[in-house]
Amino acid sequence: MTGNASPAERLADAVENDILSGKLKVDERLPAHRDLAWRLKIGVGSVTRAYAILERRGLVCSVHGRGMFVAVQQENPGTRFDLATNMPPPMFSNRALASTLTRLAKQVDPDLFNVYPPVAGHLEHRRIMAHWLAGLGIDVRPEGLLLTSGAQQALNVALNVIRPSVTYAITEEQTYPGMLEAMRQSRLPVRATMMDAEGILPAALQDILQRNRSERAAVYLTPTMHNPTTATMELQRRQDIASLCRKFDALIIEDGVYVAERNPSRPSFMELAPERTFHVCSLSKILSPGLRIGALVPPICYVEKCLPALLASSLMIAPLSYAMMAQWMEDGTAESVRNALHREAFRRQELVVSNLPEAVKPLYHAFHVWVPMPIEQVARVIEHARHLGISLPSMTSFQAVEAPLNTGVRLALGNEPLRKLPEALKRVRSACLLAKGIVSRDTISIY
């Protein structure tokens, strides 16, 4: 904290250091506002603001009528934190899982386990998934939906089906590594387009399409909660891109894995351009990582063409996953977990923004946050973070172009317990300061 910081900020940092160093123990009561203000000769309002900062950072919690208490315990200096793996935190307890399995044992259809399922999944399960997707703003008939073993398989099938009719792909300059690798495996040339806080820039997209108008393109994009930058397109941007793809006859692969609610002001590309959009979604990011069930909604004219590609991929959904999906969606468990994850994501995002003011606050509730920074700093931050016990994704893993203009570091928030995030974020903040040369390694006590 610089000398220009307010008394509240300096006090918050001092108390944070005492908590994370172990000087203040978990459940220890902090001094009353007036007592501390008198002892430090600062205003009561400064103490109130400092405690509010600490609460946003997840370090303390308020107990009505009793005061403010330390909420986290000191982590061992050697503890390592994984902020690279992007997944939601576990929300299903052992008891909930046992209860689900007990109910399934009494009512599950033996045919689920005794025969191969249809290539696109049992029609009843497709009906249940279609009903679930309708709640997310994706209206599709069960017959037009293919169940897949996660979003990656759905992306691979879409790419496999359109590959004969396209000669190159367009995507954001930073994008999902799994799709980049799938494009490389299919030997599909990738042309990256510039992006801003809403994702792909229409003018940049038009320039690429115009210069290559004799060829047909596949446009891959994540319009909601883009990975890694969290960019989310507003209505006009979506309409502009859909119009350009229609004008130049480009096909669209829409990655909707982070869409967890219906929002009429941000319609899917499947709604805006259904005749050319392959919509991909998954339950892994919005319910549970272990529930490896995704869905592919292709244009109607491509549904039959997707079946051989899906069969050839030889990845079948486990019958138990089918049954659990159906059970949770029909008894309300899935809806309850989805809402709980919304609240948890909001808490974690607020924690990041409070600890790292330079981080972009996402518009949607998912479990990753983008910290923009110049390209020359990115590698240094990742390296310093590694020495501080923080795993971050590599600088190049998301890059569709060698030197993207929009650079930064992605923090994945779901793989560590909430109580551990304040310490992890403190170390990330230290790594950022070290990369900027603002502090010396000697000042970082956890080295």
Side-chain angles (χ1 to χ4, degrees), residues 120 123-128 130-131 140-146:
L123 187 59
E124 176 64 12
H125 292 145
R126 293 160 77 183
R127 181 193 65 77
I128 293 171
H131 179 73
V140 58
R141 292 175 57 83
E143 297 81 3
L145 177 154
L146 294 80

Side-chain angles (χ1 to χ4, degrees), residues 42-189:
I42 61 176
V44 174
S46 293
V47 176
T48 300
R49 286 191 292 276
Y51 282 6
I53 292 171
L54 292 166
E55 193 164 19
R56 288 197 301 273
R57 292 178 184 174
L59 296 167
V60 302
C61 63
S62 175
V63 179
H64 183 68
R66 296 184 58 203
M68 193 72 72
F69 291 82
V70 176
V72 299
Q73 62 187 58
Q74 178 195 17
E75 289 294 332
N76 187 299
T79 301
R80 298 199 64 83
F81 302 91
D82 180 5
L83 301 189
T85 305
N86 193 12
M87 57 188 283
M91 300 300 288
F92 292 98
S93 66
N94 292 342
R95 183 176 179 181
L97 289 171
S99 176
T100 297
L101 293 172
T102 300
R103 291 198 304 271
L104 288 177
K106 297 177 180 178
Q107 63 189 47
V108 72
D109 184 350
D111 284 346
L112 279 177
F113 296 86
N114 294 331
V115 299
Y116 286 127
V119 175
H122 291 287
L123 187 59
E124 176 64 12
H125 292 145
R126 293 160 77 183
R127 181 193 65 77
I128 293 171
M129 178 64 88
H131 179 73
W132 170 263
L133 292 180
L136 308 185
I138 308 298
D139 296 312
V140 58
R141 292 175 57 83
E143 297 81 3
L145 177 154
L146 294 80
L147 292 176
T148 65
S149 182
Q152 186 65 58
Q153 187 187 24
L155 291 171
N156 289 343
V157 169
L159 194 58
N160 184 287
V161 168
I162 68 172
R163 183 63 184 93
S165 60
V166 301
T167 57
Y168 70 103
I170 301 174
T171 189
E172 304 99 339
E173 59 182 358
Q174 301 259 21
T175 193
Y176 171 52
M179 190 55 164
L180 280 176
E181 182 57 32
M183 291 172 177
R184 294 185 185 112
Q185 291 288 333
S186 66
R187 300 185 185 278
L188 186 63

Side-chain angles (χ1 to χ4, degrees), residues 225 230 346 349-350 353 357-364 369-370:
M225 198 64 189
T230 74
F346 178 78
Q349 289 171 355
E350 287 291 301
V353 173
E358 60 269 40
V360 176
K361 185 173 183 179
L363 294 177
Y364 271 75
V369 169
W370 180 246

